Amino acid sequence: MGSAPSTPRKGGAFSLETAEYLIGTFVGDQPFPLSSEFWQKLLEHPLNVQWPTQRVQQACELLAKNNSHTRHLAKILFHLACCLQECMSTSGVSPLVYEKTVNAVYMSSTFLKHLIESVQGDNNIQLYLSLEDNEAVWKDVMRDQSIENFVMRNVLNFIASVEVSPDTVILHIELLNFMIIAMSTQLLCGPSPGPNDVNPFLDAAMVQDSSLVDSVVRRLLLNFMVRSNVPFNRATYSIIDGSQSSVLQRVGSAAANIVLFPFSYLVSSSGEGSKSPIADISIHVLLVLVHYHRCIMSEDYMDNKSSTSDSLLKENPHFSDNPYCKALENAIDCELDRVDIEGNAHSSRHIKLPFASLFDTLGICLADEAAVLLLYSLLQGNSAFLEYVLVRTDLDTLLMPILEALYNSPTRTANQIYMLLIILLILSQDSSFNASIHKLILTGVPWYKERLLHQTSLGSLMVIILIRTVQYNLSKLRDVYLQTTCLATLANMAPHVHRLSAYASQRLVSLFDMLSRKYNKLAERRDNKLHTAKDNSVEGNSLVEDMSTELHIYTDFLRLVLEIINAILTYALPRNPEVVYAIMHRQEVFLPFKNHPRFNELIDNIYTVLDFFNSRMDAQREEGDWSVNEVLQVIIVNCRSWRGDGMKMFTQLRFTYEQESHPEEFFIPYVWQLVLSRCGFSFNAGAINLFPVDLHTEVCI
């Protein structure tokens, strides 16, 4: 049993029969010990022959059937880890070692993926990662660690410590893809992490030494920033032979599709050459690691395993610390000294990153949802990076792609719109940000098609896009949370508005007009239903109640818009003559609400401003019509004498962003939806429990 099988040869060269025999033996029912020569023959064989999809599917099914007896998955993972150790142990590693390692990671990924996505029932995954006690090699090398820990430690070590070069680029990419596959056990879990979730490789990644964790996070971020497009060395990988596909490479089924996605990038001569596969996969791996939450059982739960304790666990889950999240949150700018200007000593444990490069790279990549989520994670969790962003004088680097993405909301996912708006809300919490965006003048905005925006401020453009997003949401998405986030950001900006453009001022008043018309129409419908429901059924009363709830929401929206206008008039009127002009030009829209109990005090302030400027206009009125410029000149002159007499002061609104109590329920499914849509190979949709999936469509991973 321990000897290697004899491998058929054809003319002294490796042949199709040899490859088929070796892989057939690997998936067969005869177990081979770790010390058998079979493993070296398997991994050293250049797998550059083709198998049809059906054959690979059959091979995967055979391994799934026999693995509980042979433990060949655990054994090839063991050899993968050993190959990686060999790659890291010496300088000048031979091409044969890299080829063996690539073969090992290809085969491990293919069969591991099939076993994960073929699970039936409630995440009852059985990978059989332990070996028999009589495996001496296993005991000598592994000691007390598990195979998943051993593999992940070496995979992460290689990624963190070995530079990307023509000799190593393919192996780097395939190890990152292996990590995606190994961590895809999360797809089998429900949307809320529970104590019974089985994620062996993710859990192994979480218990690595802190120094390794820090190095991995740094390396993944550097991969993202450098965006290298290193050409691979064909001599190092004899597995790659022109357009030839390996036995396990060119597979199209959901059950067994190992990546040839990197080769399509690297070998293709099309315009795809500007892309960086290693940067894209690195950010996906980082996001999965950073947003992982391992649910652990508290002592109370262990003492009382009842339905009551299950419900309590769902309401108040306990999570172990995520070291990757902490590493990202504690990263500092490498340009800073160990002690900053305030005398705060930085721990040597903190990752040091070039924040300037990270800022610029994010600005270039924000068309990609993954980059948006990374920016959110940094701004929300890393105070040092947030402070760095806020003191940059070129905020348009980040804001322009964000505003362009919001402008194109119909082509974006709802989750991406949420992330973009939350980023703007986080930034708007800082008064210096709100002031500086109005000082940055844009020569033009080529992607804004409705109107020529020439010499407009970044702040004015942000107001225009936020209002446009509100209007789009009202007509299409009808999402209260999205609406509130837009208006909260505008409210934070309002006291600091400076020389708001004429177009932005008009849009602000038009927003109030649109909301007021929707409010009046809804109030009229509610009143009509209320009248007819008096003699009708419970169904009629329920409809009236729903309409009353919606009316209450619109009341809040209207009041918030009025507070935004009030904040500009109270704190920034002399600097915003165009806002005064827009209000005077459409002053009739405010009149119906003058006696409304929720709005009257705010409306009174608007009419105090209107009375002041109308009286100045009347004092200078001449026969004939006034031009826009003439009216504006009168406003500009009288803004200088405005003292705010008669204005009622309201508490200045300040909205802050706080994550929900269970952010993992949103972020874990969202991260995996991003990964699945971009990683280039398929996953069995029927096995996914993490989020709803249309079973008639194949999910790409």
Side-chain angles (χ1 to χ4, degrees), residues 529 533 536-549:
K529 291 291 182 183
N536 285 338
S537 63
V538 175
E539 184 180 345
N541 291 327
S542 176
L543 182 60
V544 169
E545 186 176 336
D546 290 342
M547 294 179 71
S548 296
T549 301

Side-chain angles (χ1 to χ4, degrees), residues 502 506 578 581 585 626-635:
Q506 294 163 20
E578 293 286 4
Y581 178 87
H585 185 64
W626 287 56
S627 69
V628 172
N629 284 336
E630 288 172 335
V631 174
L632 195 56
Q633 279 305 118
V634 173
I635 292 172

Side-chain angles (χ1 to χ4, degrees), residues 8-15 18:
R9 301 235 178 170
K10 188 174 182 180
F14 284 114
S15 64
T18 306

